[in-house]
Structures are given as structure tokens and as C-alpha cells.
Amino acid sequence: MDIATRLAGVVKDCPDFPKKGIIFKDIMPIFQDPDLVKDTCLSLNEKILEIGKPDAIVGIEARGFLIGPIMAQLLKIPFVAIRKKGKLPRECHSVKYEKEYGFDEFDIQTDALAQGSKVVIVDDLLATGGTLEAAKKLCDKCEANVMSHCVMFELEFLGGRARLADTPVITLVKY
């Protein structure tokens, strides 16, 4: 069975969460299957390496932290965290953005990425594109080059890919 079929088979639909009218995709059952997690990370890395080898994986809080460090470890490259405002010590770049359910703000430490480094931004899901777009803006502030956005799932009907038109998007499952 291919990785997309395996992933789609364990995701649970949760109607009216977090708001009425939304069908939330619960990905947490993936992490109850260590082989599926490993195979997911290997599949994403394989697709990344078709573009080129990055210098770092940049993971978005919180779900980008679930697979990003594993992906970075397998590639033998650093993992860099993008966190919610106020969660990182030392000097940070910040960006405010609109997401599916409101507004938020992210930080990245100013010295986390080397100028000119090639990075891949990792998260669980591409929906409207606001979160990944904000992460790219933070990488741009660090003068890093975003090679690709990389997600397990994409909600195509929300059109988020259009906001990321200047950067390739790697995804395993599209809804």
C-alpha cells in the first residue's frame, strides 16, 4: 500500500471542530504507528531530495515539530523551530499573519538560519496558506532561501497553494 493511502486511512474526520461547519482532519492517529511516521518522513525526504539537498528543515509550531526533527535527523541536517510569539529566548524576527480561525504571530531566532542557506519549511497541513506564507516571510527575514514547503496533507478546495505560488509545495495526500 502506498504512503498516501496509508496516511489517508488513519486520519479521522471531526465534524464541527473547532467551529461549526468545519470538518477537522485529526492526524494524531498517525503517531500511534511508528512505522507509518518513519515511512512518512522518508517519503517526504525523497521528494525534497528530488529538488535538492537543503541545509536545514524549518518546522512550524506545533505539528511541524512532530515530523520536522525526524526528517532533519534522517537528512543529517539541522532542525530550526518557528514558534508562537514570545516562546523563544534571545533576539527574534516576528511576523503577524491571518490563519484559518483568526490571527497569530510567529517568531524565529535571528541567528537560526545562515544567510543564503537553503531550507524546507515543514508543517502538517496546507489549508489557506497563511501559516506557510508567514513562515516563508520569517525565513526571508533571515535571508535564507526557501526551496520548498513540505506538508503531509493539503486541502485543495481552500486554495492555499496560490498564496505560495513562488515556492514549490510537496504534499503526500490531497483532499
Side-chain angles (χ1 to χ4, degrees):
M1 191 179 319
D2 74 344
I3 193 68
T5 303
R6 289 171 62 200
L7 285 168
V10 299
V11 171
K12 307 290 183 204
D13 285 348
C14 301
D16 298 325
F17 183 85
K19 290 188 204 181
K20 188 168 180 60
I22 292 173
I23 300 174
F24 183 83
K25 300 287 188 189
D26 181 10
I27 67 162
M28 296 316 291
I30 294 167
F31 299 95
Q32 295 172 7
D33 182 341
D35 289 332
L36 182 55
V37 173
K38 182 179 108 187
D39 292 346
T40 298
C41 292
L42 288 170
S43 293
L44 290 169
N45 281 350
E46 184 178 304
K47 290 177 181 291
I48 289 168
L49 292 173
E50 289 173 8
I51 297 170
K53 179 142 187 209
D55 298 312
I57 295 289
V58 177
I60 301 172
E61 185 173 358
R63 293 195 186 113
F65 292 3
L66 295 174
I67 60 170
I70 298 167
M71 293 169 64
Q73 183 182 38
L74 290 168
L75 291 169
K76 299 185 182 330
I77 58 175
F79 174 79
V80 174
I82 289 179
R83 300 221 42 207
K84 293 187 188 252
K85 180 79 176 162
K87 299 290 185 179
L88 289 171
R90 300 187 293 114
E91 186 178 353
C92 292
H93 293 299
S94 295
V95 66
K96 292 180 184 177
Y97 69 100
E98 185 174 2
K99 58 183 193 170
E100 295 83 11
Y101 315 120
F103 293 89
D104 214 338
E105 192 168 356
F106 276 147
D107 286 348
I108 190 170
Q109 290 171 321
T110 57
D111 62 353
L113 296 171
Q115 180 181 0
S117 61
K118 298 176 296 185
V119 302
V120 172
I121 299 171
V122 174
D123 204 4
D124 64 328
L125 173 80
L126 169 56
T128 64
T131 302
L132 289 167
E133 182 181 48
K136 184 177 184 309
K137 288 178 182 176
L138 285 174
C139 293
D140 290 347
K141 286 184 178 193
C142 292
E143 298 182 43
N145 300 312
V146 177
M147 295 172 51
S148 177
H149 297 283
C150 186
V151 296
M152 292 184 286
F153 302 96
E154 180 177 354
L155 303 178
E156 286 185 295
F157 63 93
L158 292 176
R161 192 176 282 252
R163 291 176 81 168
L164 311 170
D166 62 338
T167 307
V169 178
I170 294 168
T171 187
L172 296 176
V173 180
K174 295 179 181 181
Y175 293 104

